[in-house]
Amino acid sequence: MEPALSEILCCPATRQSLAPASAELLQRLNQNISAGRVKNNVGVAVTESVLSAWLRDDQAVLYPIRNHISSLLAEEGIPVQSF
């Protein structure tokens, strides 16, 4: 990923900065997805594993990156407290 890209990306809901999610956080997320315990911001169950994601600056919401495309829609955000 290009460093310049991470400097301009922001949360669509709050405009907070985003940073790549850690491997540990993604592992915890994927374990909970497999167990059926993860829902996005609008309450829809997340069923696909997440290999990479953006984490909001306050570490409250994660935005998945799927097929090298950042999903930066507020509805697609995954509350970290849910897992």
Side-chain angles (χ1 to χ4, degrees):
M1 166 181 352
E2 294 184 34
L5 180 60
S6 65
E7 292 175 13
I8 61 170
L9 290 179
C10 66
C11 170
T14 66
R15 301 293 183 221
Q16 290 182 49
S17 301
L18 299 173
S22 70
E24 294 83 11
L25 184 61
L26 292 171
Q27 180 180 12
R28 193 172 89 213
L29 169 65
N30 286 320
Q31 288 171 344
N32 283 281
I33 288 172
S34 294
R37 294 189 290 252
V38 179
K39 294 184 178 182
N40 65 17
N41 276 336
V42 293
V44 174
V46 178
T47 58
E48 293 181 37
S49 294
V50 177
L51 300 178
S52 57
W54 295 105
L55 181 61
R56 197 166 76 186
D57 199 33
D58 65 1
Q59 300 186 357
V61 178
L62 218 154
Y63 292 95
I65 301 170
R66 299 200 191 277
N67 300 320
H68 305 285
I69 299 171
S70 300
S71 182
L72 294 176
L73 300 172
E75 299 83 15
E76 296 290 322
I78 301 170
V80 174
Q81 70 183 17
S82 72
F83 63 93

